[in-house]
Amino acid sequence: MGCKAIGGRYDPGNRAHRLARSACVTTVSLAGLVLVWWFLSVAIDRQMLPSPPEVWDALADLFANGDSMTGRSAWTYIGSSFSTFIKGFLLAFAVAFPLGLALGYFNLLREFASPAFEVLRPIAPVAWAPVFVILFGYQIGPMMVVFVGIFFPLMTSVIFGVRKIEPNWTDAAKTLGASPLQIFCKVVVPASIPYLMNGVKVGLGIGWMCIVSAELYASPVGGIGFYISNQASAGYWPGVFSGIFLVGVLGIATVGAADYLHRSLSKRMGVDAS
Amino acid sequence: MKRAAPVAKAPRFGEERGVQIVIDGLGKTYRREDRETEVIEGFSLEIRRGELISFVGPSGCGKTTLLKLIAGLIPPSSGAVYIDGRLCAEPGADRGMVFQDFALFPWRSVRKNVEFGLEVAGVPRADRRERAERYLRLVGLEKFADSRVSELSGGMKQRVAIARALVVGPDVILMDEPFGALDAQTRNIMQNQLTDILASTDQTIIFITHSVDEAIFLSDRVVVQTKRPMRIKEIVEIPWERPRDRSSMEFVELRKRILSELEKENVMDV
Ligand SMILES: Nc1ncnc2c1ncn2[C@@H]1O[C@H](COP(=O)(O)OP(=O)(O)OP(=O)(O)O)[C@@H](O)[C@H]1O
Ligand SMILES: [Mg+2]
Protein backbone atom coordinates (compact mmCIF):
# COMPACT_ATOMS: atom_id res chain seq x y z
CA MET A 1 0.00 0.00 0.00
CA GLY A 2 1.39 3.35 -0.96
CA CYS A 3 -0.27 5.02 1.99
CA LYS A 4 1.55 3.17 4.72
CA ALA A 5 3.64 6.20 5.45
CA ILE A 6 0.59 7.95 6.91
CA GLY A 7 0.43 6.76 10.50
CA GLY A 8 1.69 3.21 10.14
CA ARG A 9 -0.87 0.45 9.69
CA TYR A 10 -4.10 1.13 7.80
CA ASP A 11 -7.08 1.29 10.13
CA PRO A 12 -10.50 1.23 8.39
CA GLY A 13 -12.14 2.66 11.51
CA ASN A 14 -10.06 5.83 11.32
CA ARG A 15 -11.57 8.62 9.25
CA ALA A 16 -8.25 10.22 8.34
CA HIS A 17 -6.89 6.85 7.23
CA ARG A 18 -9.96 6.20 5.12
CA LEU A 19 -9.71 9.61 3.45
CA ALA A 20 -5.98 9.24 2.81
CA ARG A 21 -6.48 5.78 1.39
CA SER A 22 -9.27 6.83 -0.95
CA ALA A 23 -7.19 9.85 -2.06
CA CYS A 24 -4.29 7.51 -2.91
CA VAL A 25 -6.52 5.11 -4.76
CA THR A 26 -8.20 7.90 -6.72
CA THR A 27 -4.86 9.46 -7.68
CA VAL A 28 -3.46 6.16 -8.93
CA SER A 29 -6.63 5.45 -10.89
CA LEU A 30 -6.68 8.89 -12.56
CA ALA A 31 -2.96 8.78 -13.28
CA GLY A 32 -3.57 5.43 -14.99
CA LEU A 33 -6.28 6.99 -17.12
CA VAL A 34 -4.02 9.86 -18.19
CA LEU A 35 -1.21 7.41 -19.02
CA VAL A 36 -3.47 5.26 -21.19
CA TRP A 37 -4.72 8.38 -22.94
CA TRP A 38 -1.19 9.64 -23.48
CA PHE A 39 -0.10 6.28 -24.84
CA LEU A 40 -3.06 6.14 -27.20
CA SER A 41 -2.53 9.71 -28.43
CA VAL A 42 1.08 8.89 -29.27
CA ALA A 43 0.30 5.47 -30.74
CA ILE A 44 -2.61 6.58 -32.88
CA ASP A 45 -1.03 9.93 -33.72
CA ARG A 46 -4.09 11.61 -35.22
CA GLN A 47 -4.99 15.20 -34.54
CA MET A 48 -8.46 14.19 -33.27
CA LEU A 49 -6.75 12.63 -30.27
CA PRO A 50 -4.45 15.27 -28.77
CA SER A 51 -2.04 14.38 -25.98
CA PRO A 52 -2.63 15.39 -22.36
CA PRO A 53 -0.15 18.34 -22.39
CA GLU A 54 -1.79 19.84 -25.49
CA VAL A 55 -5.20 19.61 -23.85
CA TRP A 56 -3.85 21.03 -20.63
CA ASP A 57 -2.50 24.03 -22.50
CA ALA A 58 -5.82 24.55 -24.24
CA LEU A 59 -7.62 24.33 -20.93
CA ALA A 60 -5.24 26.80 -19.26
CA ASP A 61 -5.69 29.13 -22.21
CA LEU A 62 -9.46 28.87 -22.00
CA PHE A 63 -9.41 29.84 -18.34
CA ALA A 64 -6.82 32.56 -18.78
CA ASN A 65 -8.01 34.23 -21.99
CA GLY A 66 -11.47 32.86 -22.65
CA ASP A 67 -12.73 31.36 -25.90
CA SER A 68 -11.02 33.23 -28.73
CA MET A 69 -13.83 32.33 -31.16
CA THR A 70 -16.69 33.78 -29.15
CA GLY A 71 -14.93 35.93 -26.60
CA ARG A 72 -16.72 34.17 -23.76
CA SER A 73 -14.89 33.09 -20.64
CA ALA A 74 -14.67 29.54 -19.30
CA TRP A 75 -16.86 30.53 -16.38
CA THR A 76 -19.57 31.78 -18.69
CA TYR A 77 -19.76 28.36 -20.28
CA ILE A 78 -19.70 26.55 -16.94
CA GLY A 79 -22.24 28.92 -15.43
CA SER A 80 -24.56 28.57 -18.40
CA SER A 81 -24.44 24.74 -18.26
CA PHE A 82 -24.94 24.71 -14.53
CA SER A 83 -27.83 27.09 -14.49
CA THR A 84 -29.64 25.04 -17.17
CA PHE A 85 -28.84 21.93 -15.17
CA ILE A 86 -30.07 23.29 -11.85
CA LYS A 87 -33.26 24.66 -13.39
CA GLY A 88 -34.01 21.32 -15.04
CA PHE A 89 -33.32 19.53 -11.81
CA LEU A 90 -35.53 21.80 -9.72
CA LEU A 91 -38.35 21.46 -12.20
CA ALA A 92 -38.00 17.65 -12.20
CA PHE A 93 -37.92 17.64 -8.41
CA ALA A 94 -40.98 19.84 -8.13
CA VAL A 95 -42.97 17.57 -10.43
CA ALA A 96 -41.57 14.10 -9.65
CA PHE A 97 -41.72 14.25 -5.85
CA PRO A 98 -45.43 15.05 -5.44
CA LEU A 99 -46.34 12.92 -8.44
CA GLY A 100 -44.33 9.99 -7.09
CA LEU A 101 -45.97 10.36 -3.69
CA ALA A 102 -49.42 10.39 -5.24
CA LEU A 103 -48.72 7.46 -7.55
CA GLY A 104 -47.17 5.47 -4.71
CA TYR A 105 -50.05 6.19 -2.36
CA PHE A 106 -53.05 5.78 -4.65
CA ASN A 107 -52.96 2.33 -6.24
CA LEU A 108 -55.63 3.03 -8.81
CA LEU A 109 -53.86 6.15 -10.04
CA ARG A 110 -50.63 4.21 -10.37
CA GLU A 111 -52.28 1.41 -12.29
CA PHE A 112 -53.63 3.86 -14.83
CA ALA A 113 -50.44 5.90 -15.09
CA SER A 114 -47.93 3.04 -15.24
CA PRO A 115 -48.36 1.90 -18.86
CA ALA A 116 -48.02 5.46 -20.14
CA PHE A 117 -44.87 6.10 -18.12
CA GLU A 118 -43.41 2.73 -19.03
CA VAL A 119 -43.64 3.61 -22.72
CA LEU A 120 -41.96 7.00 -22.21
CA ARG A 121 -39.30 5.92 -19.75
CA PRO A 122 -36.93 3.95 -22.06
CA ILE A 123 -36.67 6.82 -24.55
CA ALA A 124 -33.23 8.40 -24.28
CA PRO A 125 -33.79 11.96 -22.99
CA VAL A 126 -31.52 13.39 -25.70
CA ALA A 127 -33.90 12.02 -28.33
CA TRP A 128 -36.25 14.81 -27.26
CA ALA A 129 -33.62 17.50 -27.74
CA PRO A 130 -34.42 18.45 -31.37
CA VAL A 131 -38.13 18.53 -30.56
CA PHE A 132 -37.73 20.55 -27.36
CA VAL A 133 -35.30 23.03 -28.87
CA ILE A 134 -37.78 23.89 -31.58
CA LEU A 135 -40.80 23.66 -29.31
CA PHE A 136 -39.42 25.62 -26.34
CA GLY A 137 -36.53 27.51 -27.90
CA TYR A 138 -32.82 27.44 -27.21
CA GLN A 139 -33.14 28.62 -23.63
CA ILE A 140 -35.79 26.24 -22.33
CA GLY A 141 -35.15 23.28 -24.66
CA PRO A 142 -31.98 21.90 -23.03
CA MET A 143 -33.51 22.43 -19.61
CA MET A 144 -36.45 20.25 -20.63
CA VAL A 145 -34.05 17.50 -21.75
CA VAL A 146 -32.46 17.59 -18.29
CA PHE A 147 -35.94 17.56 -16.80
CA VAL A 148 -36.86 14.37 -18.67
CA GLY A 149 -33.57 12.74 -17.70
CA ILE A 150 -33.98 13.41 -14.00
CA PHE A 151 -37.73 13.06 -13.80
CA PHE A 152 -38.02 9.30 -14.34
CA PRO A 153 -35.42 8.00 -11.90
CA LEU A 154 -36.68 10.45 -9.30
CA MET A 155 -40.34 9.52 -9.67
CA THR A 156 -39.59 5.80 -9.79
CA SER A 157 -37.59 6.01 -6.55
CA VAL A 158 -40.31 7.93 -4.75
CA ILE A 159 -43.02 5.49 -5.85
CA PHE A 160 -40.84 2.61 -4.72
CA GLY A 161 -40.18 4.33 -1.37
CA VAL A 162 -43.85 4.97 -0.68
CA ARG A 163 -44.74 1.38 -1.48
CA LYS A 164 -41.96 0.05 0.72
CA ILE A 165 -43.21 1.87 3.83
CA GLU A 166 -43.58 -0.44 6.81
CA PRO A 167 -47.30 -1.13 7.27
CA ASN A 168 -46.60 -1.06 11.00
CA TRP A 169 -45.60 2.61 10.78
CA THR A 170 -48.93 3.60 9.32
CA ASP A 171 -50.73 1.26 11.72
CA ALA A 172 -48.91 2.80 14.68
CA ALA A 173 -49.86 6.27 13.47
CA LYS A 174 -53.50 5.20 13.18
CA THR A 175 -53.61 3.85 16.72
CA LEU A 176 -52.15 7.17 17.89
CA GLY A 177 -55.10 8.95 16.33
CA ALA A 178 -53.58 10.25 13.09
CA SER A 179 -55.94 11.14 10.23
CA PRO A 180 -55.20 9.94 6.68
CA LEU A 181 -53.81 13.37 5.81
CA GLN A 182 -51.60 13.38 8.90
CA ILE A 183 -50.38 9.88 8.06
CA PHE A 184 -49.48 11.11 4.62
CA CYS A 185 -47.61 14.18 5.87
CA LYS A 186 -46.00 12.74 8.99
CA VAL A 187 -45.30 9.16 7.95
CA VAL A 188 -45.43 8.66 4.17
CA VAL A 189 -43.46 11.76 3.22
CA PRO A 190 -40.61 11.45 5.76
CA ALA A 191 -40.37 7.69 5.24
CA SER A 192 -39.92 8.15 1.51
CA ILE A 193 -37.21 10.82 1.74
CA PRO A 194 -34.25 8.40 1.76
CA TYR A 195 -35.64 6.88 -1.44
CA LEU A 196 -36.16 10.35 -2.89
CA MET A 197 -32.52 11.12 -2.17
CA ASN A 198 -31.46 7.94 -3.89
CA GLY A 199 -33.45 9.08 -6.91
CA VAL A 200 -31.76 12.49 -6.74
CA LYS A 201 -28.37 10.80 -6.73
CA VAL A 202 -29.14 8.71 -9.79
CA GLY A 203 -30.99 11.58 -11.47
CA LEU A 204 -28.15 14.08 -11.11
CA GLY A 205 -25.78 11.70 -12.87
CA ILE A 206 -28.17 11.18 -15.75
CA GLY A 207 -29.09 14.87 -15.85
CA TRP A 208 -25.47 15.87 -16.24
CA MET A 209 -25.13 13.58 -19.25
CA CYS A 210 -28.26 15.14 -20.71
CA ILE A 211 -27.19 18.73 -20.37
CA VAL A 212 -24.03 18.43 -22.45
CA SER A 213 -25.64 16.41 -25.20
CA ALA A 214 -28.65 18.74 -25.29
CA GLU A 215 -26.35 21.74 -25.63
CA LEU A 216 -24.80 20.21 -28.72
CA TYR A 217 -28.15 20.89 -30.34
CA ALA A 218 -28.85 24.20 -28.71
CA SER A 219 -25.78 25.90 -30.07
CA PRO A 220 -26.25 29.66 -29.90
CA VAL A 221 -26.80 29.95 -26.17
CA GLY A 222 -25.21 26.74 -25.00
CA GLY A 223 -22.66 26.13 -22.27
CA ILE A 224 -19.89 23.57 -22.31
CA GLY A 225 -21.72 21.40 -24.84
CA PHE A 226 -21.80 24.34 -27.24
CA TYR A 227 -18.12 25.03 -26.64
CA ILE A 228 -17.28 21.42 -27.53
CA SER A 229 -19.29 21.40 -30.74
CA ASN A 230 -17.99 24.82 -31.71
CA GLN A 231 -14.37 23.76 -31.22
CA ALA A 232 -15.04 20.56 -33.16
CA SER A 233 -16.50 22.40 -36.12
CA ALA A 234 -13.43 24.65 -36.10
CA GLY A 235 -11.28 21.53 -36.03
CA TYR A 236 -9.39 22.56 -32.89
CA TRP A 237 -9.19 19.23 -31.08
CA PRO A 238 -7.34 20.21 -27.90
CA GLY A 239 -10.22 22.64 -27.35
CA VAL A 240 -12.74 19.84 -27.79
CA PHE A 241 -10.92 17.74 -25.28
CA SER A 242 -10.58 20.53 -22.75
CA GLY A 243 -14.38 20.78 -22.91
CA ILE A 244 -14.75 17.04 -22.44
CA PHE A 245 -12.36 17.24 -19.53
CA LEU A 246 -14.46 19.97 -17.89
CA VAL A 247 -17.60 17.89 -18.32
CA GLY A 248 -15.95 14.98 -16.54
CA VAL A 249 -14.63 17.00 -13.62
CA LEU A 250 -17.89 18.86 -13.06
CA GLY A 251 -19.80 15.58 -13.37
CA ILE A 252 -17.73 13.99 -10.62
CA ALA A 253 -18.30 17.04 -8.43
CA THR A 254 -22.05 16.91 -9.00
CA VAL A 255 -22.39 13.20 -8.30
CA GLY A 256 -20.10 13.51 -5.28
CA ALA A 257 -22.22 16.30 -3.82
CA ALA A 258 -25.39 14.30 -4.45
CA ASP A 259 -23.86 11.24 -2.82
CA TYR A 260 -22.92 13.25 0.24
CA LEU A 261 -26.40 14.74 0.43
CA HIS A 262 -27.98 11.31 0.10
CA ARG A 263 -25.87 9.85 2.85
CA SER A 264 -26.29 12.63 5.36
CA LEU A 265 -30.03 12.93 4.78
CA SER A 266 -30.58 9.18 5.00
CA LYS A 267 -28.70 9.21 8.27
CA ARG A 268 -30.90 12.03 9.52
CA MET A 269 -34.01 10.09 8.57
CA GLY A 270 -32.73 7.11 10.54
CA VAL A 271 -32.18 4.88 7.54
CA ASP A 272 -28.96 3.23 6.43
CA ALA A 273 -27.87 4.50 3.04
CA SER A 274 -26.47 1.64 1.05
CA MET B 1 -54.53 14.25 32.06
CA LYS B 2 -57.63 12.31 32.66
CA ARG B 3 -56.67 10.12 35.53
CA ALA B 4 -59.28 8.64 37.81
CA ALA B 5 -58.66 8.49 41.54
CA PRO B 6 -55.47 6.49 41.84
CA VAL B 7 -56.03 2.80 42.19
CA ALA B 8 -52.34 2.55 42.93
CA LYS B 9 -50.99 -0.69 44.28
CA ALA B 10 -54.43 -2.13 44.83
CA PRO B 11 -54.70 -5.59 43.29
CA ARG B 12 -56.31 -5.16 39.93
CA PHE B 13 -58.54 -8.11 40.28
CA GLY B 14 -61.44 -8.37 42.69
CA GLU B 15 -62.60 -4.81 42.55
CA GLU B 16 -66.08 -3.99 41.42
CA ARG B 17 -65.47 -3.00 37.85
CA GLY B 18 -67.81 -3.17 34.93
CA VAL B 19 -67.27 -4.81 31.59
CA GLN B 20 -65.48 -2.45 29.23
CA ILE B 21 -64.78 -4.47 26.11
CA VAL B 22 -67.09 -6.99 24.57
CA ILE B 23 -65.73 -9.31 21.90
CA ASP B 24 -68.74 -10.86 20.27
CA GLY B 25 -68.43 -13.89 18.01
CA LEU B 26 -65.32 -12.49 16.36
CA GLY B 27 -64.01 -14.31 13.29
CA LYS B 28 -61.24 -13.55 10.83
CA THR B 29 -60.37 -15.31 7.63
CA TYR B 30 -57.47 -14.00 5.53
CA ARG B 31 -57.99 -14.31 1.81
CA ARG B 32 -54.92 -14.26 -0.32
CA GLU B 33 -55.35 -15.10 -3.96
CA ASP B 34 -57.07 -18.48 -3.90
CA ARG B 35 -55.97 -19.47 -0.38
CA GLU B 36 -58.08 -18.87 2.70
CA THR B 37 -56.70 -19.00 6.21
CA GLU B 38 -59.24 -19.10 9.00
CA VAL B 39 -57.32 -17.54 11.87
CA ILE B 40 -59.98 -16.73 14.43
CA GLU B 41 -63.36 -18.33 14.74
CA GLY B 42 -66.34 -17.59 16.99
CA PHE B 43 -64.26 -15.76 19.59
CA SER B 44 -66.25 -14.21 22.44
CA LEU B 45 -64.92 -12.61 25.61
CA GLU B 46 -65.73 -9.82 28.03
CA ILE B 47 -62.88 -7.70 29.36
CA ARG B 48 -63.26 -5.67 32.55
CA ARG B 49 -62.33 -2.05 32.95
CA GLY B 50 -58.81 -1.63 34.31
CA GLU B 51 -57.81 -5.27 34.23
CA LEU B 52 -54.66 -6.70 32.77
CA ILE B 53 -55.64 -9.65 30.68
CA SER B 54 -53.07 -11.68 28.82
CA PHE B 55 -53.34 -14.10 25.97
CA VAL B 56 -51.01 -17.05 25.63
CA GLY B 57 -51.12 -19.37 22.69
CA PRO B 58 -48.96 -21.22 20.23
CA SER B 59 -47.00 -19.24 17.66
CA GLY B 60 -49.02 -18.29 14.62
CA CYS B 61 -52.34 -18.99 16.32
CA GLY B 62 -53.65 -15.51 15.58
CA LYS B 63 -52.78 -13.37 18.61
CA THR B 64 -51.54 -10.40 16.61
CA THR B 65 -54.59 -10.71 14.40
CA LEU B 66 -56.84 -10.53 17.47
CA LEU B 67 -55.13 -7.36 18.69
CA LYS B 68 -55.36 -5.73 15.27
CA LEU B 69 -59.07 -6.55 15.20
CA ILE B 70 -59.56 -4.90 18.59
CA ALA B 71 -57.49 -1.93 17.44
CA GLY B 72 -59.69 -1.64 14.35
CA LEU B 73 -56.70 -1.92 12.04
CA ILE B 74 -58.23 -4.80 10.09
CA PRO B 75 -61.91 -5.58 9.54
CA PRO B 76 -63.39 -8.76 11.04
CA SER B 77 -64.92 -11.38 8.77
CA SER B 78 -67.67 -11.93 11.31
CA GLY B 79 -68.67 -10.67 14.73
CA ALA B 80 -67.59 -7.39 16.29
CA VAL B 81 -65.70 -5.69 19.11
CA TYR B 82 -67.34 -3.05 21.32
CA ILE B 83 -65.73 -0.67 23.78
CA ASP B 84 -68.14 0.92 26.25
CA GLY B 85 -70.91 -0.07 23.88
CA ARG B 86 -69.29 1.57 20.85
CA LEU B 87 -68.35 -0.50 17.83
CA CYS B 88 -64.58 -0.58 17.17
CA ALA B 89 -64.55 -0.52 13.42
CA GLU B 90 -61.87 2.13 12.98
CA PRO B 91 -58.58 2.66 14.78
CA GLY B 92 -58.52 5.50 17.27
CA ALA B 93 -56.47 7.06 20.03
CA ASP B 94 -58.71 5.40 22.66
CA ARG B 95 -56.93 2.12 21.94
CA GLY B 96 -53.16 2.44 22.03
CA MET B 97 -51.01 -0.31 20.64
CA VAL B 98 -47.47 -1.42 21.35
CA PHE B 99 -46.33 -3.39 18.34
CA GLN B 100 -44.45 -6.67 18.31
CA ASP B 101 -41.52 -4.97 16.51
CA PHE B 102 -42.03 -1.56 18.22
CA ALA B 103 -42.86 0.28 14.96
CA LEU B 104 -41.02 3.41 16.08
CA PHE B 105 -40.48 6.14 13.50
CA PRO B 106 -36.73 6.09 12.73
CA TRP B 107 -36.72 9.64 11.34
CA ARG B 108 -37.91 11.04 14.66
CA SER B 109 -35.96 11.42 17.87
CA VAL B 110 -37.10 9.54 20.96
CA ARG B 111 -38.92 12.64 22.20
CA LYS B 112 -40.59 13.23 18.86
CA ASN B 113 -41.74 9.62 18.74
CA VAL B 114 -43.39 10.00 22.11
CA GLU B 115 -44.93 13.32 21.08
CA PHE B 116 -46.45 11.93 17.87
CA GLY B 117 -49.91 11.18 19.30
CA LEU B 118 -50.10 14.59 20.98
CA GLU B 119 -48.92 16.31 17.82
CA VAL B 120 -51.67 14.81 15.69
CA ALA B 121 -54.20 15.66 18.41
CA GLY B 122 -53.16 19.32 18.12
CA VAL B 123 -51.72 19.65 21.63
CA PRO B 124 -49.68 22.89 21.86
CA ARG B 125 -45.92 22.51 21.69
CA ALA B 126 -45.02 23.39 25.27
CA ASP B 127 -47.71 21.16 26.70
CA ARG B 128 -46.68 18.37 24.38
CA ARG B 129 -43.09 18.57 25.45
CA GLU B 130 -43.96 18.59 29.11
CA ARG B 131 -46.19 15.53 28.83
CA ALA B 132 -43.69 13.60 26.73
CA GLU B 133 -41.03 14.46 29.28
CA ARG B 134 -43.20 13.02 32.06
CA TYR B 135 -43.68 9.71 30.28
CA LEU B 136 -40.04 9.48 29.29
CA ARG B 137 -39.22 9.82 32.97
CA LEU B 138 -41.78 7.14 33.77
CA VAL B 139 -39.98 4.67 31.51
CA GLY B 140 -36.58 5.92 32.63
CA LEU B 141 -35.47 7.37 29.30
CA GLU B 142 -35.38 11.10 30.03
CA LYS B 143 -31.64 11.14 29.32
CA PHE B 144 -32.25 9.75 25.84
CA ALA B 145 -34.96 12.18 24.80
CA ASP B 146 -32.89 13.58 21.95
CA SER B 147 -31.32 10.31 20.81
CA ARG B 148 -32.10 8.71 17.51
CA VAL B 149 -34.14 5.54 17.65
CA SER B 150 -31.38 3.59 15.89
CA GLU B 151 -29.03 4.32 18.79
CA LEU B 152 -31.22 2.54 21.33
CA SER B 153 -31.11 -1.04 22.53
CA GLY B 154 -34.10 -3.33 22.04
CA GLY B 155 -35.26 -2.82 25.62
CA MET B 156 -35.03 0.95 25.32
CA LYS B 157 -36.95 0.94 22.04
CA GLN B 158 -39.61 -1.07 23.78
CA ARG B 159 -39.92 1.50 26.53
CA VAL B 160 -40.17 4.31 23.97
CA ALA B 161 -42.99 2.41 22.31
CA ILE B 162 -44.75 2.02 25.66
CA ALA B 163 -44.31 5.71 26.49
CA ARG B 164 -45.58 6.67 23.03
CA ALA B 165 -48.73 4.59 23.56
CA LEU B 166 -49.33 5.76 27.15
CA VAL B 167 -48.83 9.49 26.62
CA VAL B 168 -52.06 10.00 24.71
CA GLY B 169 -53.97 8.49 27.63
CA PRO B 170 -55.83 5.66 25.86
CA ASP B 171 -58.53 3.73 27.71
CA VAL B 172 -57.11 0.47 26.48
CA ILE B 173 -53.56 -0.55 25.70
CA LEU B 174 -52.88 -3.43 23.39
CA MET B 175 -49.42 -4.93 23.83
CA ASP B 176 -48.17 -7.45 21.32
CA GLU B 177 -45.39 -9.57 22.87
CA PRO B 178 -43.68 -6.40 24.02
CA PHE B 179 -40.85 -8.25 25.72
CA GLY B 180 -40.53 -11.06 23.21
CA ALA B 181 -37.28 -9.79 21.72
CA LEU B 182 -35.51 -9.21 25.03
CA ASP B 183 -33.10 -11.40 26.93
CA ALA B 184 -34.37 -13.02 30.13
CA GLN B 185 -32.77 -10.49 32.45
CA THR B 186 -33.94 -7.35 30.66
CA ARG B 187 -37.28 -9.00 30.34
CA ASN B 188 -37.63 -9.42 34.11
CA ILE B 189 -36.62 -5.82 34.68
CA MET B 190 -39.15 -4.67 32.10
CA GLN B 191 -41.89 -6.78 33.68
CA ASN B 192 -41.21 -5.16 37.05
CA GLN B 193 -41.17 -1.74 35.44
CA LEU B 194 -44.45 -2.45 33.69
CA THR B 195 -45.99 -3.49 37.00
CA ASP B 196 -44.84 -0.17 38.46
CA ILE B 197 -46.05 1.85 35.49
CA LEU B 198 -49.41 0.13 35.59
CA ALA B 199 -49.82 0.75 39.28
CA SER B 200 -49.85 4.47 38.51
CA THR B 201 -52.34 4.26 35.67
CA ASP B 202 -55.84 2.88 35.40
CA GLN B 203 -55.78 1.62 31.86
CA THR B 204 -57.09 -1.70 30.66
CA ILE B 205 -54.22 -3.73 29.29
CA ILE B 206 -54.54 -6.51 26.77
CA PHE B 207 -51.22 -8.27 26.74
CA ILE B 208 -49.95 -10.93 24.41
CA THR B 209 -47.07 -13.16 25.27
CA HIS B 210 -45.39 -16.42 24.49
CA SER B 211 -44.27 -16.75 28.06
CA VAL B 212 -46.57 -18.38 30.59
CA ASP B 213 -44.31 -17.15 33.36
CA GLU B 214 -44.72 -13.55 32.21
CA ALA B 215 -48.48 -13.95 31.86
CA ILE B 216 -48.88 -15.25 35.42
CA PHE B 217 -46.52 -12.62 36.79
CA LEU B 218 -48.43 -9.71 35.26
CA SER B 219 -52.06 -10.61 34.70
CA ASP B 220 -55.38 -10.53 36.45
CA ARG B 221 -56.58 -13.12 33.98
CA VAL B 222 -54.75 -15.38 31.58
CA VAL B 223 -56.58 -16.55 28.48
CA VAL B 224 -55.14 -19.78 27.13
CA GLN B 225 -55.77 -20.21 23.44
CA THR B 226 -55.90 -23.09 21.05
CA LYS B 227 -53.96 -23.21 17.82
CA ARG B 228 -55.51 -22.08 14.56
CA PRO B 229 -58.36 -21.37 14.24
CA MET B 230 -57.95 -19.64 17.54
CA ARG B 231 -60.48 -20.31 20.28
CA ILE B 232 -60.42 -19.96 24.05
CA LYS B 233 -59.19 -23.08 25.77
CA GLU B 234 -59.33 -21.82 29.31
CA ILE B 235 -59.48 -18.58 31.29
CA VAL B 236 -57.40 -18.57 34.47
CA GLU B 237 -58.13 -15.98 37.17
CA ILE B 238 -55.09 -14.87 39.18
CA PRO B 239 -56.23 -12.91 42.24
CA TRP B 240 -52.78 -12.58 43.81
CA GLU B 241 -51.08 -9.53 45.28
CA ARG B 242 -48.34 -7.79 43.30
CA PRO B 243 -45.41 -7.98 43.03
CA ARG B 244 -45.64 -11.70 42.65
CA ASP B 245 -43.13 -14.27 43.67
CA ARG B 246 -42.15 -16.47 40.77
CA SER B 247 -40.74 -19.13 43.04
CA SER B 248 -43.80 -19.52 45.23
CA MET B 249 -45.57 -22.86 45.24
CA GLU B 250 -48.79 -21.61 43.76
CA PHE B 251 -46.95 -19.74 41.00
CA VAL B 252 -44.94 -22.79 40.02
CA GLU B 253 -47.97 -25.08 40.18
CA LEU B 254 -50.08 -22.78 38.03
CA ARG B 255 -47.33 -22.37 35.50
CA LYS B 256 -46.93 -26.11 35.26
CA ARG B 257 -50.65 -26.59 34.73
CA ILE B 258 -50.98 -23.96 32.01
CA LEU B 259 -47.86 -25.19 30.28
CA SER B 260 -49.08 -28.75 30.16
CA GLU B 261 -52.28 -27.51 28.68
CA LEU B 262 -50.46 -25.55 26.04
CA GLU B 263 -48.22 -28.47 25.30
CA LYS B 264 -51.24 -30.28 24.04
CA GLU B 265 -51.56 -27.46 21.50
CA ASN B 266 -47.90 -26.85 20.76
CA VAL B 267 -44.52 -26.47 22.38
CA MET B 268 -44.12 -23.24 24.36
CA ASP B 269 -41.18 -21.57 26.02
CA VAL B 270 -41.17 -20.96 29.76
N1 LIG C 1 -52.11 -10.24 6.17
C1 LIG C 1 -52.19 -11.59 6.22
N2 LIG C 1 -52.57 -12.30 5.14
C2 LIG C 1 -52.66 -13.64 5.18
N3 LIG C 1 -52.40 -14.39 6.27
C3 LIG C 1 -52.02 -13.75 7.38
C4 LIG C 1 -51.89 -12.33 7.42
N4 LIG C 1 -51.48 -11.97 8.66
C5 LIG C 1 -51.36 -13.12 9.36
N5 LIG C 1 -51.70 -14.20 8.59
C6 LIG C 1 -51.70 -15.58 9.02
O1 LIG C 1 -52.55 -15.69 10.14
C7 LIG C 1 -52.00 -16.55 11.11
C8 LIG C 1 -51.94 -15.84 12.43
O2 LIG C 1 -51.06 -14.75 12.36
P1 LIG C 1 -50.75 -13.84 13.63
O3 LIG C 1 -49.69 -12.89 13.24
O4 LIG C 1 -52.02 -13.30 14.14
O5 LIG C 1 -50.18 -14.95 14.65
P2 LIG C 1 -49.53 -14.75 16.08
O6 LIG C 1 -50.29 -15.59 17.01
O7 LIG C 1 -49.41 -13.31 16.41
O8 LIG C 1 -48.09 -15.36 15.85
P3 LIG C 1 -46.74 -15.05 16.64
O9 LIG C 1 -46.90 -15.64 17.99
O10 LIG C 1 -45.69 -15.75 15.86
O11 LIG C 1 -46.57 -13.57 16.66
C9 LIG C 1 -50.64 -16.97 10.60
O12 LIG C 1 -50.76 -18.29 10.11
C10 LIG C 1 -50.33 -16.02 9.48
O13 LIG C 1 -49.66 -16.69 8.46
MG1 LIG D 1 -47.81 -12.02 16.66
Side-chain angles (χ1 to χ4, degrees), chain A residues 224-244:
Chain A
I224 305 171
F226 163 73
Y227 173 75
I228 293 173
S229 68
N230 203 27
Q231 297 289 310
S233 53
Y236 181 57
W237 299 100
V240 172
F241 271 77
S242 62
I244 292 176

Side-chain angles (χ1 to χ4, degrees), chain B residues 30 32 37 39 58-65 100 177 210 228:
Chain B
Y30 284 115
R32 190 174 273 174
T37 322
V39 180
S59 184
C61 74
K63 302 182 294 300
T64 299
T65 304
Q100 197 162 1
E177 291 187 41
H210 265 114
R228 246 180 32 219

Side-chain angles (χ1 to χ4, degrees), chain A residues 166 168-179 182-183 186-188 190-191 267-271, chain B residues 68 71 73 91-93 95-97 99 101 103-108 116-117 119-120 148 164-165 168:
Chain A
E166 290 269 336
N168 271 352
W169 287 339
T170 42
D171 280 355
K174 283 181 199 164
T175 63
L176 290 164
S179 68
Q182 286 171 324
I183 290 174
K186 290 176 188 288
V187 178
V188 175
K267 209 165 150 192
R268 269 202 62 175
M269 302 314 273
V271 187
Chain B
K68 286 191 173 167
L73 290 170
R95 283 148 291 148
M97 184 152 170
F99 289 79
D101 61 357
L104 297 176
F105 306 124
W107 58 89
R108 287 175 164 247
F116 186 91
E119 205 177 296
V120 297
R148 326 216 108 263
R164 184 178 69 175
V168 291

Side-chain angles (χ1 to χ4, degrees), chain A residues 49-66:
Chain A
L49 189 56
S51 72
E54 288 175 276
V55 173
W56 183 256
D57 288 342
L59 196 63
D61 182 54
L62 174 65
F63 273 94
N65 310 317

